[in-house]
């Protein structure tokens, strides 16, 4: 590390995005320092669970099992919804299931444990208040527990949430639309109501409720025509209970409120995800209505896309332009996310005038191609990045967790990705594929195996595949006639001898 730098990368924000990114950077051997202005982790339950793709991301790093150690067993689900229209993730038979009703605090605790094991320093009570990108490095002004301090680093990533300070200090544009309505949320113990997982349409709006453990229910009150408040403080529970009663006729005011909050449908997207040595990820780059629970998921996947690229650039193995692919790939995902959550908001929060549209869309979802399209959108399983030449159907998509038979027995693809390195998987016993991978052996594992009987039978034939550390297919055969060398160079930098 440059002796004048306090850390190779400073990650601002220890929410799910910042923690995932810090873990990915440490896994690749980068000195990452995480700063968070909160002196203690938040206890707000927020995002309840994750999508199939986030579950796969955790499975790829061997993290899914850690929830059991936290006494937070995962309640899996094979169903989701689009603006209240039910969807079955079974249209992706090789996908991992979604997880529901798991408060975000557990996800953050799990990630903090992983990051701590990887030796990452999280400095709490440290608020970033100033930033200067000199072109050579970035200088941060930080208010710490012992007073102001200056930190120097090679790259800064703002994972500091929807009101991101980093975004403002580095001059990112954040256009979009302000909130047009105000919704309430409360976690309430002992209110004794029935679950309404994807919401119940009622004359005054929509009521949602879900049990989140320990006798606590999450209630969400979506009354129509509620202009956004200009609050600086959360609402009183009495306001939430009154709204719930207006909608449902039920009295929950006797319950014990553990967390009460208001939120809206403000929708904004940073025009750039990278400005020089400063990058944005998670809510810092995109805010939207939490329809379908996609916010935390998108942040974790931003981090998963960025971590290995930033590590390769910091380690000098890949040119800085690799970071531009982070913008290209994830900004496109962010744009789609905003369209998706806007559409879900209209369907979900609209009144009776929206019913004909719901009916028509409901009919359309009975067609498999539509069902798959929408399920792919809300599950994150259909994200396809532009990878370059080739026409294999998996190119750019996430690699499914196929069952494999190798020299040492059976396994699946995901455990082979646990190290955060690339993977060149030779499934057709092809020496030329293995030979192509050897010059990148310091960054890419070359593994020979066979697909287990019946594995992948619902998907396309795969003879060989190059998988990036984020699980996306960078090259595949048949259909990649030139071999994997070009793709190896594009995503992993020049081969070792050339780099030396
Ligand atoms: C009511 C509600 C329900 C939601 N439900 C879901 C759901 O079901 N599923 C889902 O996926 N998402 C959901 N979300 C969204 C989800 O909570 C967010 O998308 C997620 O927390 C974003 O993670 P992040 O790490 O990007 O930002 P945050 O979690 O906001 O973390 C940012 C961190 O940065 C720190 N920070 C801020 N400024 C500074 C600074 N200047 N210096 C140092 N540190 C700083 C903060 O203290 C914080 O710890 C919900 C959100 C809300 C409000």
């Amino acid at each position: 590390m440059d002796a004048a730098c306090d850390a190779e990368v400073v990650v601002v924000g220890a929410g799910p995005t910042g923690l995932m990114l810090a873990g990915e950077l440490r896994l690749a051997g980068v000195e990452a320092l995480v700063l968070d202005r909160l002196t203690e982790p938040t206890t707000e339950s927020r995002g309840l669970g994750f999508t199939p793709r986030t579950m796969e991301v955790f499975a790829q790093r061997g993290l899914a099992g850690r929830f059991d150690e936290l006494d937070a067993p995962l309640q899996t689900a094979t169903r989701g919804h689009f603006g209240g229209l039910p969807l079955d993730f079974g249209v992706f038979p090789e996908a991992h299931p979604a997880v529901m009703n798991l408060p975000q605090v557990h996800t953050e605790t799990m990630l903090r444990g992983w990051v701590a094991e990887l030796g990452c320093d999280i400095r709490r009570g440290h608020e970033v208040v100033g930033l200067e990108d000199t072109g050579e490095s970035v200088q941060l002004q930080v208010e710490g527990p012992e007073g102001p301090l200056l930190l120097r680093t090679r790259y800064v990533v703002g994972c500091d949430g929807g009101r991101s300070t980093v975004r403002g200090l580095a001059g990112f544009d954040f256009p979009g639309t302000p909130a047009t309505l105000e919704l309430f949320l409360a976690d309430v113990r002992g209110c004794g109501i029935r679950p309404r997982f994807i919401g119940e349409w009622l004359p005054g709006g929509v009521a949602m409720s879900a049990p989140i453990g320990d006798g606590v229910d999450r209630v969400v009150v979506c009354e129509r025509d509620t202009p956004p408040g200009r609050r600086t403080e959360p609402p009183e529970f009495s306001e939430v209970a009154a709204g719930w009663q207006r909608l449902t006729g039920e009295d929950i005011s006797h319950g014990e409120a553990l967390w009460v909050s208001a939120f809206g449908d403000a929708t904004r997207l940073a025009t750039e995800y990278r400005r020089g040595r400063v990058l944005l990820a998670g809510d810092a780059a995109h805010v939207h209505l939490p329809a379908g629970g996609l916010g935390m998921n998108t942040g974790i996947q931003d981090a998963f896309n960025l971590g290995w690229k930033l590590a390769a650039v910091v380690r000098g193995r890949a040119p800085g332009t690799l970071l531009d692919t982070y913008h290209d790939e994830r900004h496109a995902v962010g744009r789609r996310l905003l369209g998706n959550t806007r559409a879900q908001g209209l369907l979900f929060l609209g009144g009776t005038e929206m019913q004909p549209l719901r009916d028509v869309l409901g009919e359309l979802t009975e067609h498999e191609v539509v069902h798959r399209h929408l399920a792919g959108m809300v599950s994150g399983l259909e994200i396809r990045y532009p990878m370059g030449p080739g026409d294999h159907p998996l190119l750019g998509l996430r690699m499914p967790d196929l069952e494999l038979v190798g020299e040492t027995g059976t396994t699946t693809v995901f455990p082979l990705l646990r190290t955060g390195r690339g993977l060149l998987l030779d499934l057709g016993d092809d020496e030329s594929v293995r030979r192509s991978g050897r010059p990148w052996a310091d960054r890419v594992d070359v593994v020979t195996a066979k697909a287990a009987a019946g594995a992948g039978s619902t998907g396309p034939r795969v003879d060989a595949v190059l998988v990036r550390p984020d699980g996306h297919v960078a090259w595949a055969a048949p259909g990649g006639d030139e071999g994997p060398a070009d793709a190896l160079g594009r995503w992993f930098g020049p081969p070792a001898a050339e780099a030396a």
Side-chain angles (χ1 to χ4, degrees):
M1 186 173 81
D2 176 351
C5 275
D6 298 281
E8 287 174 320
V9 177
V10 171
V11 177
V12 185
T17 307
L19 292 169
M20 189 75 216
L21 179 63
E24 289 294 293
L25 291 168
R26 283 300 304 134
L27 204 56
V30 171
E31 294 298 329
L33 170 63
V34 183
L35 305 176
D36 199 294
R37 67 176 167 205
L38 295 181
T39 50
E40 296 291 333
T42 174
T43 56
E44 295 175 358
S45 61
R46 288 178 153 214
L48 297 184
F50 20 89
T51 59
R53 181 59 195 145
T54 302
M55 184 64 171
E56 290 192 344
V57 163
F58 288 156
Q60 276 168 29
R61 293 294 181 263
L63 301 176
R66 287 174 178 249
F67 287 100
D68 293 337
E69 294 155 28
L70 294 178
D71 207 16
L74 298 183
Q75 200 181 326
T76 56
T78 53
R79 298 184 71 78
H81 72 95
F82 183 87
L85 300 170
L87 294 173
D88 183 355
F89 295 140
V91 289
F92 298 99
E94 266 129 18
H96 282 233
V99 167
M100 58 192 283
N101 302 337
L102 181 81
Q104 187 171 319
V105 276
H106 294 307
T107 306
E108 292 187 24
T109 306
M110 182 281 285
L111 288 172
R112 266 199 311 279
W114 177 53
V115 163
E117 277 170 32
L118 291 168
C120 182
D121 189 8
I122 301 181
R123 288 196 209 161
R124 295 205 155 270
H126 284 70
E127 178 170 9
V128 171
V129 294
L131 179 154
E132 189 192 355
D133 180 353
T134 65
E136 302 296 312
S137 64
V138 188
Q139 188 152 299
L140 289 172
Q141 278 172 270
V142 180
E143 291 294 341
E146 268 100 50
L149 68 150
L150 283 180
L151 292 176
R152 245 192 82 197
T153 180
R154 292 180 60 192
Y155 288 92
V156 170
V157 189
C159 303
D160 50 343
R163 297 200 169 96
S164 171
T165 305
V166 170
R167 188 179 65 220
L169 290 171
F172 286 87
D173 275 343
F174 197 48
T177 50
T180 60
L181 42 83
E182 182 177 58
L183 313 173
F184 291 142
L185 160 160
D187 290 349
V188 194
R189 180 173 284 135
C191 63
I193 49 169
R194 67 180 164 84
R196 296 161 169 96
F197 288 113
I198 59 174
E200 182 177 359
W201 279 299
L202 296 156
V206 179
M208 285 178 82
S209 53
I212 59 170
D214 292 335
V216 178
D217 288 292
R218 157 76 60 87
V219 301
V220 182
V221 175
C222 317
E223 285 188 281
R224 266 189 280 284
D225 306 323
T226 48
R230 299 197 182 282
R231 299 174 189 274
T232 49
E233 296 293 323
E236 296 292 330
F237 176 53
S238 55
E239 269 187 88
V240 183
W244 185 265
Q245 186 146 30
R246 280 192 296 276
L247 278 180
T248 65
E250 293 171 359
D251 181 8
I252 57 168
S253 62
H254 57 282
E256 179 199 357
L258 307 181
W259 176 49
V260 180
S261 183
F263 61 100
D265 60 343
T267 301
R268 296 183 180 279
L269 179 67
T271 54
E272 304 159 288
Y273 278 26
R274 176 194 181 193
R275 278 173 71 82
R277 292 182 172 272
V278 185
L279 299 110
L280 298 179
D283 278 14
H286 39 73
V287 294
H288 53 84
L289 184 74
L294 297 175
M296 179 185 74
N297 287 279
T298 308
I300 288 171
Q301 288 167 49
D302 286 346
F304 205 52
N305 184 286
L306 174 60
W308 64 277
K309 294 175 182 173
L310 186 51
V313 172
V314 167
R315 290 272 78 92
R317 286 175 172 162
T321 48
L322 184 63
L323 292 177
D324 296 331
T325 69
Y326 166 64
H327 166 89
D328 297 342
E329 294 176 357
R330 295 307 297 177
H331 186 267
V333 169
R335 215 172 35 232
R336 241 170 113 65
L337 168 74
L338 263 52
N340 164 348
T341 49
R342 272 194 176 117
Q344 292 205 58
L346 288 170
L347 283 173
F348 192 66
L349 301 174
T352 47
E353 78 287 353
M354 203 52 76
Q355 197 52 44
L357 194 55
R358 286 184 203 119
D359 292 341
V360 171
L361 271 177
E363 279 171 30
L364 285 175
T365 58
E366 285 165 23
H367 295 273
E368 188 181 337
V369 64
V370 178
H371 205 102
R372 192 182 164 93
H373 182 86
L374 292 177
M377 217 173 187
V378 298
S379 63
L381 293 169
E382 284 287 88
I383 292 172
R384 188 192 289 273
Y385 298 135
M387 288 290 174
D391 58 8
H392 193 280
L394 283 180
L395 192 66
L397 292 175
R398 103 295 176 213
M399 179 69 191
D401 196 12
L402 290 187
E403 204 179 333
L404 304 173
V405 183
E407 278 172 14
T408 52
T410 58
T411 181
T412 63
V413 173
F414 288 2
L416 302 175
L417 293 168
R418 208 159 275 185
T419 55
R421 291 158 54 87
L423 172 68
L424 181 58
L425 192 55
D426 163 29
L427 297 173
D429 197 9
D430 184 341
E431 170 55 22
S432 72
V433 167
R434 296 194 289 270
R435 198 171 44 243
S436 300
R438 276 183 208 125
W440 284 270
D442 58 336
R443 282 154 273 176
V444 178
D445 293 324
V446 182
V447 174
T448 299
K450 279 191 168 45
S457 55
T458 55
R461 179 180 138 199
V462 186
D463 293 343
V465 60
L466 175 64
V467 188
R468 303 193 317 190
D470 61 357
H472 279 260
V473 173
W475 169 89
D481 295 344
E482 305 303 320
D486 279 358
L488 282 158
R490 186 172 318 116
W491 297 109
F492 297 95
E498 220 177 278

